[in-house]
Amino acid sequence: MSAVSLQLVSDPEGPTRTLHLWIRQRETLRPLFLAAWETLSRGFDTVEMDAWAGAVLDLANVNAGPACLIAYWDASASDSTGEIAPLLGAAQAGAEICRHAGAPAAASALKALPAARRMLGSGTALSRWWRAMETLARQAPESIAAAANHMAEILRPGTITAFEGFVAAGLRRAAGDRRTRLAFFSLQDELARHLIARDSGAVTFSDVETELKAFLIALFGKVPLLRSMPVDGGQSLQRRSAIAGPLIRLPEIYRGTQGDAARALFHAAAVHAQAHLVLGRARFPVGQLKPLQIALVNLIEDARIETLAMRALPGLRRLWGPYHVAIPTTVATAPMLLARLARALFDPNYVDDDGFVSKGRALFAAALPRLDDPTISREIGMLLGNDLGQMRVQFNAKTYVVEPLYRDDGLGLWEFDGEALPSAETLELFIDAVRPERQESSDGALREQDADDTTGETGRARPVAPDARGVIIARYPEWDRVDAIERSDWTTVREVAAIAGDARRIEDQLDQATALRSRVARLVRGVRIGRKVRLKRQRDGHDLDLDAMLDAGITLRSGEMPDPRVFRSTKALHRDLSALLLIDTSESTRDRLASRATVLDVERLAVALLAEAMDQLGDAFGLLAFASDGRDDVRMTNIKGFDEAYDRDCRGRLAGLHSGLSTRLGTALRHAGAVLDRASTSRKLLIVLTDGEPSDVDVADPIDLVEDARRAAIGLHAQGIDAYGVVLGRAGVDAAARIFGRSKAMLVHRVEDLPARLSELYFRLAQR
């Protein structure tokens, strides 16, 4: 055995000699190493073996340990490709995993390599598998061993794309929670099991998203907004697509369809939904409609939109036709009759002698001259609903699912009016349109799965019930920078009751800041005088408008009647303004300054000084503090509401603020926007007071939260809210400029200057 080794050592100073000398000192490892060396030396030349020896040394140099080295030797010896590059890549990846997750994790990954080779081969797919494992090691080091131990099951779908999607789904689902990650990658999580249970030929939304967008643009000339819905957890009824405002949401996967059939189904569903958005008019008010009537109006509206679409694009009949498979039957349940009516309205050659189907066909044919009018859907649906009601056919809103499969759930066609509350059954219909059935838990109890946000209120709050950790007042979406999607209901806002502090603490600070108070008082007096604007071309006024007079003279010389509005006047502007101060109270505001005061102490003084000025001016204003402890615990403390007086109680709540936790700014901005949105003034101003860039305990990369906050600020602008960031110190200035824009981010170099700078900023903004 040693003779073989000596024959291959060509460079006395190279990796091969170094490795052999190193192995000689390790009696336990030597036999296993030499066996692997002999096997490999039969297929590789001296140069390749030298490179392999260097790879082994790389693993040894990162303290990979005996188990990891043995796993690498075994994986190398069992390789049958005859190529050295995959083996060198495995060692490099193993060393990287060892650096981030430790030697046992690297050993587990190398032990999983044979399973990965069997499923993925040894080319590009295997390289991508290693990159995904390295990503997992960096972001979830505790999960490497769990994933490696179940690698044969995880790779069951048979594609590298599926594996990359599995890893990404696990990291997103856990959102920084270690126990959730371990449950996912050890396949104890229901979503994980569902993802690997897919057939190898399954097509996902991610696989077809690009071609769907191109197809819809070609058909309708309008860029679609497409998003996927989470996996539905193995329901027996296939989830339908949904329309939420301008957004089309498609299932991540259509179970039971593969290859070209799955792609065709995605195309059919996307085209149907986009036809609604392009050709539809307005949503229907629910009023007091019963669930069966709602289902029928949905059906007629689907038929109306598809007929309009096929008039312009006749080829769509071939796209949708294969899914209309209902046939006449003697069993007369409402779902069967509705499916037969849907086919009858779509297919003129379909023969069905049922009286209900015939009547629906006749009513729709009679309404064809008015096909552009969406009210025909409600009219026909109401009539047919009355007929089915008199027939007393069975209809269960909880189990009804729209047919055929490519049609959307109908939720996007409706809006609730503010006067008449819908019945419980109607609400059940909408809930079950997205989530058609309940699942039974291990203890036999029925439990509901989470439904998607398909209300069309993108970026808006949804009120929910309180839980054991506090009063939950809203949930908000959050932007996923990596996947470039907005995750609905991703963050939870909890209202934390303000702690009553000593108001005298604030009052004493104000008394000591006499110079600042005097400066702010001068600003207040200047604003009270009122900003005046010059109005030109008035019918009367204290002065003549020279431009208007010149125009009038020219008009007279032309023989025409001049405009009599040749005066100018001045007018004081009315202050129609609401302002909200959003105060960051995260842990970093506990830092002490040279004066021994904390950053939060200076923030309190600045806010109190400005609040006093706004109160004297009579401006409507609110004070809101925030901090966070993960996406499920974003805490809001209300110091002063718009309808509250600024009194001693408010100053006491301001004095009671304390530092702690993190800064999930995007969620705070969205909630502040929701608060300001309720103000009745025409001008709405949000000033955010913070001392650093966004961060939170469950987000590894702060850039993710910066991008989310930036999108939240853009959303505020769309709401007509002016948002400005005031940053204490240089730490967060780059992030603030990215979030608010450079013209709307003010840097306060010295924290002690904040009270003066904040008041000056407000008066400058308030007079715009």
Side-chain angles (χ1 to χ4, degrees), residues 16 74 153 163 294 320 355 380 394 414 499 507 599 625:
T16 298
D74 289 344
E153 296 172 83
F163 178 71
I294 290 172
W320 290 324
I380 298 174
Q394 181 181 0
W414 296 91
I499 299 173
E507 293 161 357
V599 173

Side-chain angles (χ1 to χ4, degrees), residues 261-327:
R263 292 179 182 276
L265 180 52
F266 272 111
H267 281 71
V271 172
H272 174 84
Q274 186 73 343
H276 271 294
L277 295 177
V278 174
L279 302 174
R281 293 292 183 268
R283 294 195 295 177
F284 301 107
V286 171
Q288 297 296 326
L289 291 185
K290 297 185 184 305
L292 180 55
Q293 292 172 320
I294 290 172
L296 279 162
V297 174
N298 281 340
L299 189 153
I300 303 301
E301 180 66 5
D302 284 340
R304 185 184 76 86
I305 291 298
E306 288 183 358
T307 303
L308 288 172
M310 288 186 293
R311 282 181 177 179
L313 302 165
L316 293 180
R317 187 175 296 278
R318 293 194 301 274
L319 179 66
W320 290 324
Y323 304 99
H324 288 270
V325 295
I327 58 174

